[in-house]
Amino acid sequence: MAGVEAQPPDARLPLPDKAAVAPGAWTPELSFQSPGLTKKLVNGKMDSDANAIRPNLSVQHWIHWCVNLLSAVGAGIFLIPYFRCQPESVHEFATALPDWQRQLFVFAICVILAYTLFKLFSPRLLHLRYFFTHPPTWSAWLLGGLVLCGLDLGIGLSKHTYTASWNEWLGYGLGSALVVSVVRHLIALSEPAGQPVTKATLSRECASSLDWTTVEPWLRSDAPASHDFLGNYSVAERMRGLLIDATRSIGIVGPFGAGKSSVVKWIEELVQEDGKFLLSEHSCWGFETSSASIHSMLRDAIGKVEQRIDTFQISWLPESYRQTFSAGGEWLDNISKMLFGQRDPIDQFRRLSALLGDMGVRLVFVVEDLDRNDSRSFDIQEVLAFLQQLKGFSNLSFILTGGLRTSPRIDYAKLCDHIEYLRTISVHQSGSLVAVLRQQCLNQEAFPHVHLNDSDDNQWNPERWSLLSDRDEVYPPEAIARLLNTPRALRHALSLTYRAWQKLYGEIDFDHLLAMNVLRYAAPEAFSFVLRHWHRFRDQPSKDLWQHSHLEKITASLRREWEQVCGGVDWDARAARTLIDLILPFTPMWFGETSPGGRPRSQGVQYERYWQRALNQNIAADEVRDQTVIRDMQQWIENRVPDAALVTGVCSNPCYSKVWEQLDYRGFSDDRERILAFCEQVLERIRQQDKAEASRNSQGFIPILRYAARRVGLVEANARWLEKQITEAASVSLELVNALWYYWGGSILRDQDRQAVRRHSLNELQRTLTGGNALISRLHPHLSTTLYHLVFDPGNDRGATLNDVSSWSWLGPMILEAVRSRNVQALVNCATLLGGRVSTEKGVTVDVEVLDAFFGNSAHEVIDILDEMLDQIPEQHQMLVRNIVGAARRHFAGTPSSVEEEADNDDPN
């Protein structure tokens, strides 16, 4: 960062409208000179003028003081006797009061009078320091009061009507003054005063030596001027040197949040040590008009000077300046003349400069936020003209702060003798601060939790990407530095992340939370774009989109919208895309790129649960917490009991099982034997809870299936494990046997192992199904397709395996026994078995092969029982049973066995 000495060509700053300048008033020449010429004019003309009038001003001050003394004495000589008897109504009222009320009434009037005089003259004991050169006006009135007291007590001001006493003058006069003084002092103590930051409390660590003890106060503090991680304090020291060297005008330029206000605070601290400067800070933000802003600026400045020396004679400077130079219009000018009279502001500026010279100090106006006032009635050029006039007085200087994008509105090169450009955040600086925050958030003592990703996998470490830095890409550390390029922006995003992490630690990926907050604060338009398209970016494009060329249209639309979003914004579009690709790795594929932007994380915002948490910066009270599930997983690993909380949660709570399924806990997910052992306990719990109703729909069955299918691989040992589960299920639920074979067999078995497992299923069922009652006890009470799926294994695309009728014909006697017992569920399953393989949407027929192989000579009996029980069969199955009965009877009679065949025979052609 380097200061720039302005060497501009001669140019002129636009003056306010001449109509607003009072006729005959002195109009300053506002041409911008080079620094050398400016100093020459100031030192040669203005300084000499100020020095020439200084003795005259001292004489004028004494004349003014004497006039005020005589005015006070003269006014008191006539007014005191008058008010001691007038108004009569007031005196009659006071006379009728008891003594204590009358005394209190008189004392209250004296307090009001004293308050008015204090308000008018603002007396301070420090003013007496310059008594011989600038006698304070209030001292003349105080002396006048003492003279009146002596006259009243000595000869009497109204001796014919009232005789005063020492007690009355001390009680009413001195007592009221003391009351007002004490009250003003207490009010001043209660008002919040900006405490200058001292060197003892200023944190000035370099980025490489940061730790949490220094970063945490910076994140929590609303006063960033107490911390300097970027070296801006040296800028303040350099500005102090420029002020000491009599530089009249300084410009501090940098983007919003670059630390301009902090530099100003440090300058104030440094110049206070010297005691040679008075800084008057003023923000132009919020003022409707420029004249109002200048008025406030002058009033505040005089208030600063008033703390050291009496300023009564220049107290009209704000109004006289506004009256003379304001562009407020002729009517406002006329009203102000009637109210305040015509005063020469330049003469009052000279008086102010002379006061400052006698004090040995310089008044520095600090003007901030001038470029941020967008009010239509606010004329920036009027404020600039005012600042230009300040350069004509030796004891007046100004510091003007503003943004980099305001050069067309504020020409710093013409206005300022020195321009200081504040640097932005570097990759190293932001990376160091992020590293400290990340280390603290992943600290187990501060935030005890299980971190699912490697804590050393720091996306924000610049060294991680150092070998790739020569590529034309923006990597995460650089992306943060580009987006959070000012101390304020960086502090806000990191502070927001830290506060959110205090609620979400262990419940979301930290890097994704940080990236979300960076986008939210630094690139809000990009953040809104992600909000609109998260449902797409969360996953890679489907095969259907690729095959039907729909993806090209979507990609083109997304690209157009992204270009519109990035148009005219002040944030780096490439940096924003880097962070979007980081948190939603499939985003590049939606933009037409061939590969994803990274790998998904187990607690990443591609999952809706974590996306909502990142958006809301909170977790709902009814949500299942990740750390609860992880803790249950650790407990199960330590003690694999069937009634463990992990087993119970997966088998009872869909939300719990979803969290478990998505978590990539390394102590669990990388151990095949451990995963299958847990799945075995879940299946055992399902058998115990659901019994014959155990099926693929049982809570926990599908989550453990998906979890295992992604992690256990295809190995020979899986076949032995699945055979064991089928053996256990065969004595409880036929539907569970079907689910284990169809879903688990299709997910964890090698092709060469399928025949053996299928044969094992058949043998186990043949062993355990000893009769009709055993069959009925294992049928699902609400499903009608159990026997059909058991025999024919429909929908299995891994190849037919023992799904022929002859392999399962041994089931016939058990089914016949169950049918004879008139069990409704057995009847419905029998009907589905008889028609499921051969029926179509066009018609229902009977599977003759099954009918003959399973029931033989008892086929007529089975059909008769189905017909007999038709009314007791649930309504949704009655049509199926009726059609099967009809088709079977037609088969027995040698006629067409389906509705479709009947229609063909009825065709006359």
Side-chain angles (χ1 to χ4, degrees), residues 352-631:
L352 174 60
S353 181
L355 284 177
L356 295 169
D358 288 339
M359 295 166 58
V361 300
R362 186 186 304 169
L363 178 61
V364 181
F365 290 84
V366 179
V367 182
E368 300 179 277
D369 300 323
L370 178 60
D371 54 328
R372 297 180 63 196
N373 194 316
D374 297 326
S375 173
R376 293 183 179 181
S377 56
F378 191 96
D379 185 6
I380 289 181
Q381 298 304 318
E382 183 177 352
V383 179
L384 297 180
F386 163 73
L387 296 177
Q388 178 66 15
Q389 292 177 51
L390 297 182
K391 296 171 67 176
F393 302 94
S394 58
N395 295 312
L396 300 178
S397 302
F398 68 82
I399 298 174
L400 177 63
T401 68
L404 292 170
R405 296 179 179 271
T406 60
S407 295
R409 306 175 67 188
I410 304 176
D411 196 339
Y412 292 96
K414 292 182 178 180
L415 183 64
C416 301
D417 297 337
H418 177 87
I419 307 173
E420 191 75 28
Y421 291 95
L422 298 184
R423 59 186 176 185
T424 57
I425 300 289
S426 69
V427 175
H428 175 69
Q429 290 168 334
S430 64
S432 299
L433 287 167
V434 170
V436 172
L437 174 64
R438 189 176 190 274
Q439 182 179 7
Q440 174 66 14
C441 290
L442 302 184
N443 187 320
Q444 294 301 310
E445 294 182 1
F447 299 100
H449 69 284
V450 178
H451 186 53
L452 297 182
N453 299 304
D454 187 356
S455 59
D456 295 331
D457 183 20
N458 185 0
Q459 298 285 337
W460 318 110
N461 184 3
E463 296 179 0
R464 173 176 178 170
W465 309 94
S466 58
L467 297 177
L468 303 174
S469 60
D470 56 337
R471 298 185 182 181
D472 187 24
E473 296 184 33
V474 179
Y475 296 101
E478 185 180 357
I480 276 195
R482 289 191 181 190
L483 293 173
L484 304 176
N485 59 357
T486 66
R488 180 177 300 175
L490 181 61
R491 184 179 73 92
H492 184 89
L494 297 188
S495 178
L496 183 65
T497 302
Y498 183 64
R499 291 197 303 269
W501 186 254
Q502 291 176 315
K503 302 175 183 177
L504 294 173
Y505 66 91
E507 302 299 326
I508 192 173
D509 185 89
F510 173 82
D511 295 329
H512 282 205
L513 178 64
L514 174 60
M516 285 272 289
N517 286 331
V518 172
L519 287 173
R520 186 197 302 262
Y521 181 75
E525 295 85 358
F527 185 75
S528 297
F529 174 79
V530 176
L531 276 176
R532 292 192 296 271
H533 300 288
W534 173 82
H535 66 287
R536 294 189 187 277
F537 297 158
R538 62 179 298 188
D539 203 352
Q540 59 185 334
S542 64
K543 294 181 179 179
D544 291 340
L545 291 177
W546 287 100
Q547 294 174 353
H548 297 89
S549 301
H550 295 321
L551 183 61
E552 295 179 1
K553 297 179 181 179
I554 297 174
T555 297
S557 175
L558 288 173
R559 284 180 172 176
R560 285 193 302 270
E561 184 178 350
W562 178 249
E563 291 175 359
Q564 293 174 358
V565 166
C566 299
V569 297
D570 57 359
W571 43 265
D572 191 300
R574 295 176 63 201
R577 261 298 306 273
T578 297
L579 296 188
I580 295 173
D581 295 350
L582 173 69
I583 62 176
L584 298 171
F586 297 112
T587 301
M589 302 180 71
W590 288 96
F591 276 86
E593 301 170 25
T594 56
S595 59
R599 61 181 182 83
R601 297 206 177 191
S602 59
Q603 290 181 305
V605 297
Q606 71 272 11
Y607 297 115
E608 185 174 6
R609 180 170 68 258
Y610 306 113
W611 173 252
Q612 293 295 335
R613 292 175 183 177
L615 286 180
N616 300 327
Q617 306 283 287
N618 204 348
I619 182 172
D622 59 346
E623 278 195 74
V624 176
R625 290 183 172 268
D626 293 29
Q627 292 301 308
T628 300
V629 178
I630 293 174
R631 184 176 62 250

Side-chain angles (χ1 to χ4, degrees), residues 668-681:
F668 197 95
S669 62
D670 56 357
D671 190 323
R672 172 191 165 278
E673 184 274 332
R674 185 173 290 164
I675 293 173
L676 290 181
F678 174 71
C679 294
E680 181 175 344
Q681 289 188 353

Side-chain angles (χ1 to χ4, degrees), residues 758-835:
R758 178 70 166 171
R759 173 61 65 182
H760 176 82
S761 300
L762 190 150
N763 293 337
E764 283 299 314
L765 290 173
Q766 196 168 7
R767 182 180 63 84
T768 57
L769 291 178
T770 57
N773 290 333
L775 177 66
I776 292 173
S777 67
R778 291 162 175 77
L779 286 177
H780 195 290
H782 307 297
L783 298 180
S784 62
T785 58
T786 300
L787 295 178
Y788 167 66
H789 287 157
L790 183 65
V791 174
F792 294 112
D793 189 21
N796 198 325
D797 57 359
R798 301 288 296 274
T801 304
L802 294 178
N803 60 350
D804 57 291
V805 174
S806 59
S807 298
W808 295 90
S809 59
W810 57 269
L811 273 174
M814 271 70 75
I815 298 175
L816 178 60
E817 185 177 344
V819 168
R820 286 172 175 169
S821 67
R822 270 55 174 185
N823 180 269
V824 173
Q825 198 59 30
L827 293 171
V828 174
N829 270 269
C830 178
T832 305
L833 176 65
L834 290 174

